[in-house]
Amino acid sequence: MPLVSQKTIDEIQNRADIVSVVSEYVRLEQRGVNYWGLCPFHNEKTPSFSVNPDRKSYYCFGCHEGGGIFNFIMKIENLNYPQALILLAKKLGVHVENENGTPGIKKEDEEAIRGRDELSELYRRVAGSFHHILMNTEEGKTALDYVLGRGLSRETVERFKLGWAPDDKYWLHNFLHDKGYSSEFLTKSALFSRKYPRVSFFQARLMFPINDRYGKTVAFGGRTLTEDGPKYLNSSESVIYHKRETLFALDLALPEIRRSKTTYICEGYMDVIALHEAGVFNSAAPLGTAFTAEQARLLRRWTDKVNLFFDTDAAGEAAVEKAILVCRENALSCSVVKPEYAQAFKDPADILKADGNAALAGAVCRVISDSEYLIQKSKTSFLTREAGPRGVINAINFLAPFFASIESAAERELFSRNAALSFGADPKAVFDDLSSGGARSIIKLRTPVKDDSKTIMMNEELFLLCAAAVHFESKVSFFYEIRKGVSINELGSQNAKELYLAMEECIRLGETTLDSLFSKLEEGPLRDFLAEKCAGKEFTDNAETLVSDGIRGVKIKHLERRARAIDVDIRLAGDDSHKISELLLEKQFLIDEITNLKTLAGSKNES
């Protein structure tokens, strides 16, 4: 199977700006040479994710993920190397060629990318067909009257491309088959029953197209307008749809989110659409799940603040509590919408239907902070007459996980003081109890990091190889100097040997980029270690001196190891005077060589 040509890879490398590529996923701010942001691969509140534009590399000092531009795309898009290459080539307009000059790349990778595109195109067409049925046919009239009766305008219905799935369970399969789609492809589309491949998953339902942030339809939600079956059905996950990483209406909300730096998160499709109808265009919703850390990290690219507008029932209140912690753990400030007449209505869609746009637009302005909401909630839930003194204990236990998520000492003190004031309790006692409960909770909230038992220890050999690797793309001559002065057999460090071999393979293949080097290293501690060094400044100044001095240092260490080994051989030689004489001559040669190298190093330092 032919490989992608080095010419193609080099062209992608030359055209790609790692800051621009990463900025599509992470909000970056320049500080000195590097750009910094919150890591997209783990929960954090203080930016530890660094991008170095000169070296075209990234590194997180928190979770230790790092590499080049290809590694980043592979990690964040969950792709293999060839698929990441194709994705970048498409973004940059680079034509992909194989080594033999033919277009393309491995068949399975090309098919994987094409399959994603074809599935997305299928969903676009299906969404258009459902929308046409809703807006233009007698069969869709009942559903259209329903949504208009909920207070939505035709303009909003058009904007969200709402649709109607016909009652005929075979209609969609027959329709798509007539359009040329194969039964095999449709079976894998997640639009049909697994047991009965010709039966549509969605029948007689109001359809909500679910788009990715680029506006491509990737899934559907369907609502029944009768009492038959579950109220909502949602698409199963597929190669283009991962519900924990997707937010309904994010593509429509993004312009206003970018402008306002605020996002309203509510529970359901109709709630989001109601908010957009009321002019609250920075609104989105999770998809059949609680608000997730993945969704929080997605929003973090564009916004600093989340306002939660969930249902007022028990399930909605539980979802608010979980979402507050998710926001706190992902460096998003959080407030909760509390309309004056919250108990009269269950959700935003109810407010729109009952009182119209103006009432809903006014309701979203009534927000309280997450801490105020939780203190109020704990008081009303636990400080009842029947609970007695035990109620305060229960209220404090309820607040402890949130208290543990607060990093600022001043904010922790203020939160505990407000809680004590609300409970009528001693402030110091409440602070002490919260701190005790919080200490237990913190263990659960911490982000797992990589096994410290596999930490790479720097030594002289690895230092030398890192100095060459960090500058591999800009000054490959450093490795050429090392090759002339040090053979791989002179290295004692296994990590240094692995890095040496990786650079050797890159040279043999004519690949002299950091991405190529990272691709030759197995995912693990050594690659993470190198990524960290690429992100730092340890090898920035006097790089030539570091390499030349490093070569001498490694040579000296190797010669000294050999001299010590000769001492062992002499002891083992017994009465073999001839062998002992030969070993003594070799040792003297080694001592002279060590002396010469140390003298050279000393004279250079003096100059």
Side-chain angles (χ1 to χ4, degrees), residues 500-562:
Y500 188 107
L501 288 171
M503 285 189 279
E504 186 71 67
E505 186 177 358
C506 284
I507 295 295
R508 181 175 58 81
L509 296 173
E511 303 171 2
T512 57
T513 65
L514 267 177
D515 259 312
S516 299
L517 178 55
F518 279 115
S519 71
K520 304 298 183 292
L521 296 170
E522 289 187 13
E523 186 170 344
L526 179 58
R527 197 168 81 175
D528 295 341
F529 183 82
L530 178 59
E532 180 180 358
K533 298 308 170 187
C534 288
K537 297 181 178 180
E538 192 173 358
F539 300 97
T540 301
D541 299 327
N542 303 317
E544 292 86 352
T545 302
L546 292 179
V547 171
S548 58
D549 288 353
I551 292 171
R552 274 192 297 274
V554 169
K555 290 286 289 184
I556 290 170
K557 292 292 184 185
H558 169 70
L559 294 172
E560 287 175 340
R561 282 199 302 271
R562 179 60 192 138

Coordinates of all heavy atoms in Angstrom, one line a residue, residues 500-562:
Y500 N 17.4 8.8 19.9 CA 18.4 8.8 18.8 C 17.9 8.0 17.6 O 18.0 8.4 16.5 CB 19.6 8.1 19.4 CG 20.9 8.1 18.5 CD1 22.0 8.9 18.8 CD2 21.0 7.3 17.4 CE1 23.1 8.9 18.1 CE2 22.2 7.3 16.6 CZ 23.2 8.1 17.0 OH 24.4 8.1 16.2
L501 N 17.3 6.8 17.9 CA 16.8 6.0 16.8 C 15.6 6.7 16.0 O 15.5 6.6 14.8 CB 16.3 4.7 17.3 CG 17.4 3.7 17.8 CD1 16.8 2.5 18.5 CD2 18.2 3.2 16.6
A502 N 14.8 7.4 16.8 CA 13.7 8.1 16.2 C 14.2 9.2 15.2 O 13.7 9.3 14.1 CB 12.8 8.8 17.2
M503 N 15.2 10.0 15.6 CA 15.8 11.0 14.7 C 16.5 10.3 13.6 O 16.4 10.8 12.4 CB 16.7 11.9 15.5 CG 15.9 12.9 16.4 SD 17.0 14.2 17.2 CE 17.6 13.3 18.6
E504 N 17.1 9.2 13.8 CA 17.8 8.5 12.8 C 16.8 8.0 11.7 O 17.1 8.1 10.5 CB 18.5 7.3 13.4 CG 19.4 6.5 12.4 CD 20.7 7.3 12.0 OE1 21.5 7.5 12.9 OE2 20.8 7.6 10.8
E505 N 15.7 7.5 12.1 CA 14.6 7.1 11.2 C 14.1 8.3 10.4 O 13.9 8.1 9.2 CB 13.5 6.4 11.9 CG 12.5 5.8 11.0 CD 11.4 5.0 11.7 OE1 11.4 4.9 12.9 OE2 10.5 4.5 11.0
C506 N 13.9 9.4 11.0 CA 13.4 10.6 10.3 C 14.4 11.0 9.2 O 14.0 11.3 8.1 CB 13.2 11.8 11.3 SG 11.7 11.6 12.3
I507 N 15.7 11.0 9.6 CA 16.7 11.4 8.6 C 16.7 10.4 7.4 O 16.8 10.8 6.2 CB 18.1 11.3 9.3 CG1 18.2 12.4 10.3 CG2 19.2 11.5 8.2 CD1 18.1 13.8 9.8
R508 N 16.6 9.1 7.7 CA 16.6 8.1 6.7 C 15.4 8.3 5.7 O 15.5 8.1 4.5 CB 16.5 6.7 7.3 CG 16.5 5.6 6.3 CD 16.5 4.2 7.0 NE 15.4 4.0 7.9 CZ 14.2 3.6 7.5 NH1 14.0 3.4 6.2 NH2 13.2 3.5 8.4
L509 N 14.2 8.8 6.2 CA 13.0 9.0 5.4 C 13.0 10.4 4.9 O 12.0 10.7 4.1 CB 11.8 8.7 6.3 CG 11.6 7.3 6.8 CD1 10.4 7.2 7.7 CD2 11.4 6.3 5.6
G510 N 14.0 11.2 5.2 CA 13.9 12.6 4.7 C 12.9 13.5 5.4 O 12.4 14.4 4.8
E511 N 12.5 13.1 6.6 CA 11.5 13.9 7.3 C 12.1 14.6 8.5 O 12.6 14.0 9.4 CB 10.4 12.9 7.9 CG 9.7 12.1 6.8 CD 8.8 11.0 7.4 OE1 8.7 10.9 8.6 OE2 8.3 10.2 6.6
T512 N 12.1 15.9 8.4 CA 12.8 16.7 9.4 C 11.9 17.7 10.1 O 12.3 18.9 10.3 CB 14.0 17.4 8.8 OG1 13.6 18.3 7.7 CG2 15.1 16.5 8.3
T513 N 10.7 17.2 10.5 CA 9.8 18.1 11.2 C 9.6 17.5 12.6 O 9.7 16.3 12.8 CB 8.4 18.2 10.5 OG1 7.8 16.9 10.5 CG2 8.6 18.7 9.1
L514 N 9.1 18.3 13.5 CA 8.8 17.8 14.9 C 7.7 16.8 14.8 O 7.7 15.9 15.6 CB 8.5 19.0 15.8 CG 9.6 19.6 16.6 CD1 9.2 20.8 17.4 CD2 10.3 18.6 17.5
D515 N 6.7 17.1 14.0 CA 5.6 16.2 13.9 C 6.1 14.8 13.5 O 5.6 13.8 14.0 CB 4.5 16.7 12.9 CG 3.4 17.3 13.6 OD1 2.8 16.7 14.5 OD2 3.0 18.5 13.2
S516 N 7.0 14.8 12.5 CA 7.5 13.5 12.1 C 8.2 12.8 13.2 O 8.1 11.6 13.4 CB 8.5 13.7 10.9 OG 7.8 14.3 9.8
L517 N 9.0 13.6 14.0 CA 9.7 13.0 15.1 C 8.8 12.4 16.1 O 9.0 11.3 16.6 CB 10.7 14.1 15.7 CG 11.5 13.6 16.9 CD1 12.3 12.4 16.6 CD2 12.4 14.8 17.4
F518 N 7.8 13.2 16.5 CA 6.8 12.7 17.5 C 6.1 11.5 17.0 O 5.8 10.6 17.8 CB 5.8 13.8 17.8 CG 6.2 14.8 18.8 CD1 6.4 16.2 18.4 CD2 6.5 14.5 20.1 CE1 6.8 17.1 19.3 CE2 6.9 15.4 21.0 CZ 7.0 16.8 20.6
S519 N 5.9 11.4 15.7 CA 5.2 10.2 15.2 C 6.0 8.9 15.3 O 5.5 7.8 15.2 CB 4.7 10.4 13.7 OG 5.9 10.4 12.8
K520 N 7.3 9.1 15.4 CA 8.2 7.9 15.5 C 8.4 7.5 16.9 O 8.9 6.4 17.2 CB 9.6 8.3 14.9 CG 9.6 8.8 13.5 CD 9.1 7.8 12.5 CE 9.2 8.2 11.1 NZ 8.3 9.3 10.8
L521 N 7.9 8.2 17.9 CA 8.0 7.9 19.3 C 6.6 7.3 19.7 O 5.6 7.8 19.4 CB 8.3 9.1 20.1 CG 9.6 9.7 19.9 CD1 9.7 11.0 20.7 CD2 10.8 8.8 20.4
E522 N 6.7 6.2 20.4 CA 5.4 5.6 21.0 C 4.8 6.6 21.9 O 5.5 7.3 22.7 CB 5.7 4.3 21.7 CG 6.1 3.2 20.7 CD 6.2 1.8 21.4 OE1 5.7 1.8 22.6 OE2 6.7 0.9 20.9
E523 N 3.4 6.6 22.0 CA 2.7 7.4 22.9 C 3.1 7.0 24.3 O 2.9 5.8 24.7 CB 1.2 7.3 22.7 CG 0.4 8.3 23.5 CD -1.0 8.4 23.1 OE1 -1.3 7.9 22.0 OE2 -1.8 8.9 23.9
G524 N 3.6 7.9 25.2 CA 3.9 7.5 26.5 C 4.8 8.5 27.1 O 5.0 9.7 26.6
P525 N 5.5 8.2 28.2 CA 6.3 9.1 29.0 C 7.4 9.9 28.2 O 7.6 11.1 28.4 CB 6.9 8.3 30.1 CG 6.0 7.1 30.2 CD 5.5 6.8 28.9
L526 N 8.1 9.2 27.3 CA 9.2 9.8 26.6 C 8.7 10.9 25.6 O 9.2 12.0 25.6 CB 10.0 8.8 25.8 CG 11.2 9.4 25.0 CD1 12.2 10.2 25.9 CD2 12.0 8.3 24.3
R527 N 7.6 10.6 24.9 CA 7.0 11.6 24.0 C 6.5 12.8 24.8 O 6.7 13.9 24.4 CB 5.9 11.0 23.2 CG 5.6 11.8 21.9 CD 4.7 11.1 21.0 NE 3.3 11.1 21.4 CZ 2.3 10.6 20.6 NH1 2.6 10.0 19.5 NH2 1.1 10.7 21.0
D528 N 5.9 12.5 25.9 CA 5.4 13.6 26.8 C 6.5 14.4 27.3 O 6.4 15.7 27.4 CB 4.5 13.0 27.9 CG 3.3 12.3 27.5 OD1 2.9 12.6 26.3 OD2 2.7 11.5 28.2
F529 N 7.6 13.8 27.7 CA 8.8 14.5 28.2 C 9.4 15.4 27.1 O 9.7 16.5 27.4 CB 9.8 13.4 28.6 CG 11.1 14.0 29.2 CD1 11.1 14.3 30.6 CD2 12.2 14.1 28.5 CE1 12.3 14.8 31.2 CE2 13.4 14.6 29.1 CZ 13.4 15.0 30.4
L530 N 9.5 14.9 25.9 CA 10.0 15.7 24.8 C 9.1 16.9 24.5 O 9.6 18.0 24.3 CB 10.2 14.9 23.6 CG 10.7 15.6 22.3 CD1 12.0 16.3 22.6 CD2 10.8 14.7 21.1
A531 N 7.8 16.6 24.6 CA 6.8 17.7 24.3 C 7.0 18.8 25.4 O 6.9 20.0 25.1 CB 5.4 17.2 24.3
E532 N 7.2 18.4 26.6 CA 7.4 19.4 27.7 C 8.7 20.2 27.4 O 8.7 21.5 27.6 CB 7.5 18.7 29.0 CG 7.8 19.6 30.2 CD 7.9 18.9 31.5 OE1 7.7 17.7 31.5 OE2 8.1 19.6 32.5
K533 N 9.7 19.6 27.0 CA 11.0 20.3 26.7 C 10.8 21.3 25.5 O 11.4 22.3 25.5 CB 12.1 19.3 26.4 CG 12.5 18.4 27.6 CD 12.7 19.2 28.9 CE 12.8 18.4 30.1 NZ 12.8 19.2 31.3
C534 N 10.0 20.8 24.5 CA 9.7 21.7 23.4 C 9.0 23.0 23.8 O 9.1 24.0 23.2 CB 9.0 21.0 22.3 SG 9.9 19.7 21.4
A535 N 8.1 22.8 24.8 CA 7.3 23.9 25.3 C 8.1 24.9 26.2 O 7.7 26.0 26.3 CB 6.1 23.4 26.0
G536 N 9.2 24.4 26.7 CA 10.0 25.2 27.7 C 11.1 26.0 27.0 O 11.3 26.0 25.8
K537 N 11.9 26.7 27.8 CA 13.0 27.5 27.3 C 14.4 26.9 27.6 O 15.4 27.6 27.4 CB 12.9 28.9 27.9 CG 11.6 29.6 27.5 CD 11.6 31.0 28.1 CE 10.3 31.7 27.7 NZ 10.2 33.1 28.3
E538 N 14.4 25.7 28.1 CA 15.7 25.1 28.6 C 16.7 25.0 27.5 O 17.9 25.2 27.8 CB 15.4 23.7 29.1 CG 16.5 23.1 29.9 CD 16.0 21.8 30.6 OE1 14.8 21.4 30.4 OE2 16.8 21.1 31.2
F539 N 16.3 24.9 26.2 CA 17.3 24.6 25.2 C 17.3 25.8 24.2 O 17.7 25.7 23.0 CB 16.9 23.3 24.4 CG 17.0 22.1 25.3 CD1 15.8 21.6 25.9 CD2 18.2 21.5 25.6 CE1 15.9 20.5 26.7 CE2 18.2 20.4 26.4 CZ 17.1 19.9 26.9
T540 N 16.7 26.9 24.6 CA 16.6 28.1 23.7 C 17.9 28.8 23.5 O 18.3 29.1 22.3 CB 15.5 29.0 24.2 OG1 14.3 28.3 24.3 CG2 15.3 30.2 23.2
D541 N 18.6 29.1 24.5 CA 19.8 29.9 24.5 C 21.0 29.1 24.3 O 21.1 28.0 24.9 CB 19.9 30.8 25.7 CG 18.8 31.7 25.9 OD1 18.3 32.2 24.9 OD2 18.4 32.0 27.1
N542 N 22.0 29.5 23.5 CA 23.3 28.9 23.3 C 23.1 27.4 22.9 O 23.8 26.5 23.4 CB 24.1 29.0 24.5 CG 24.4 30.4 24.9 OD1 24.6 31.3 24.1 ND2 24.2 30.7 26.2
A543 N 22.2 27.1 22.0 CA 21.9 25.8 21.6 C 23.2 25.1 21.0 O 23.4 23.9 21.3 CB 20.8 25.7 20.6
E544 N 24.0 25.8 20.2 CA 25.2 25.2 19.6 C 26.1 24.7 20.7 O 26.7 23.6 20.6 CB 25.9 26.1 18.7 CG 25.1 26.5 17.4 CD 24.1 27.6 17.6 OE1 23.9 28.0 18.7 OE2 23.5 28.1 16.6
T545 N 26.3 25.5 21.7 CA 27.2 25.2 22.8 C 26.7 24.0 23.6 O 27.4 23.1 24.0 CB 27.3 26.4 23.8 OG1 27.8 27.5 23.0 CG2 28.3 26.1 24.9
L546 N 25.3 24.0 23.8 CA 24.8 22.8 24.5 C 25.0 21.5 23.8 O 25.4 20.5 24.5 CB 23.2 23.0 24.7 CG 22.7 24.2 25.6 CD1 21.2 24.2 25.5 CD2 23.2 24.0 27.0
V547 N 25.0 21.6 22.5 CA 25.2 20.3 21.7 C 26.7 19.9 21.7 O 27.0 18.8 22.0 CB 24.7 20.5 20.3 CG1 25.1 19.3 19.4 CG2 23.2 20.7 20.2
S548 N 27.5 20.9 21.4 CA 29.0 20.6 21.4 C 29.5 20.1 22.8 O 30.2 19.1 22.9 CB 29.8 21.7 20.9 OG 29.6 22.9 21.7
D549 N 29.1 20.8 23.8 CA 29.5 20.4 25.2 C 28.9 19.1 25.5 O 29.5 18.2 26.2 CB 29.1 21.5 26.2 CG 29.9 22.7 26.1 OD1 30.9 22.7 25.3 OD2 29.5 23.7 26.8
G550 N 27.6 18.9 25.1 CA 26.9 17.6 25.4 C 27.6 16.4 24.7 O 27.7 15.4 25.4
I551 N 28.1 16.6 23.5 CA 28.8 15.5 22.8 C 30.0 15.1 23.6 O 30.3 13.9 23.8 CB 29.1 15.9 21.4 CG1 27.8 16.0 20.5 CG2 30.1 14.9 20.7 CD1 28.0 16.6 19.2
R552 N 30.8 16.1 24.0 CA 32.0 15.8 24.8 C 31.7 15.1 26.1 O 32.3 14.2 26.5 CB 32.8 17.1 25.1 CG 33.8 17.5 23.9 CD 34.7 18.6 24.4 NE 34.0 19.8 24.7 CZ 33.6 20.7 23.8 NH1 33.9 20.6 22.5 NH2 32.9 21.8 24.1
G553 N 30.6 15.6 26.8 CA 30.2 15.1 28.0 C 29.8 13.6 27.9 O 30.2 12.8 28.7
V554 N 29.0 13.3 26.9 CA 28.6 11.9 26.7 C 29.8 11.0 26.3 O 29.8 9.9 26.8 CB 27.5 11.9 25.6 CG1 27.2 10.5 25.1 CG2 26.2 12.6 26.0
K555 N 30.7 11.5 25.5 CA 31.9 10.8 25.1 C 32.7 10.4 26.4 O 33.1 9.3 26.6 CB 32.8 11.5 24.2 CG 32.2 11.7 22.8 CD 32.3 10.4 22.0 CE 33.7 10.0 21.6 NZ 33.7 8.8 20.7
I556 N 32.9 11.4 27.3 CA 33.6 11.2 28.5 C 33.0 10.2 29.4 O 33.6 9.3 29.9 CB 33.8 12.6 29.3 CG1 34.7 13.5 28.5 CG2 34.3 12.3 30.7 CD1 34.8 14.9 29.1
K557 N 31.6 10.3 29.5 CA 30.9 9.3 30.4 C 31.1 7.9 29.8 O 31.2 6.9 30.5 CB 29.4 9.7 30.4 CG 29.1 11.0 31.2 CD 29.4 10.8 32.7 CE 29.0 12.1 33.4 NZ 29.3 12.0 34.9
H558 N 31.0 7.8 28.5 CA 31.1 6.5 27.8 C 32.5 5.9 28.1 O 32.7 4.7 28.4 CB 30.9 6.6 26.3 CG 31.3 5.3 25.6 ND1 30.6 4.1 25.7 CD2 32.3 5.1 24.7 CE1 31.1 3.2 24.9 NE2 32.2 3.8 24.3
L559 N 33.5 6.7 27.9 CA 34.9 6.3 28.1 C 35.1 5.9 29.6 O 35.8 4.9 29.9 CB 35.9 7.4 27.7 CG 35.9 7.7 26.2 CD1 36.7 8.9 25.9 CD2 36.4 6.5 25.4
E560 N 34.5 6.7 30.5 CA 34.7 6.4 31.9 C 34.0 5.0 32.3 O 34.5 4.3 33.1 CB 34.1 7.5 32.8 CG 35.0 8.8 32.8 CD 34.4 9.9 33.5 OE1 33.1 9.9 33.7 OE2 35.1 10.9 33.8
R561 N 32.8 4.8 31.7 CA 32.2 3.5 31.9 C 33.0 2.4 31.4 O 33.2 1.3 32.0 CB 30.8 3.5 31.2 CG 29.7 4.2 31.9 CD 28.3 3.8 31.3 NE 28.2 4.0 29.9 CZ 27.7 5.1 29.4 NH1 27.4 6.1 30.1 NH2 27.6 5.2 28.0
R562 N 33.6 2.6 30.2 CA 34.5 1.5 29.6 C 35.7 1.3 30.5 O 36.2 0.1 30.7 CB 34.9 1.9 28.2 CG 35.9 0.9 27.5 CD 35.2 -0.4 27.4 NE 36.2 -1.5 27.0 CZ 36.2 -2.7 27.5 NH1 35.4 -3.0 28.4 NH2 37.1 -3.6 27.1

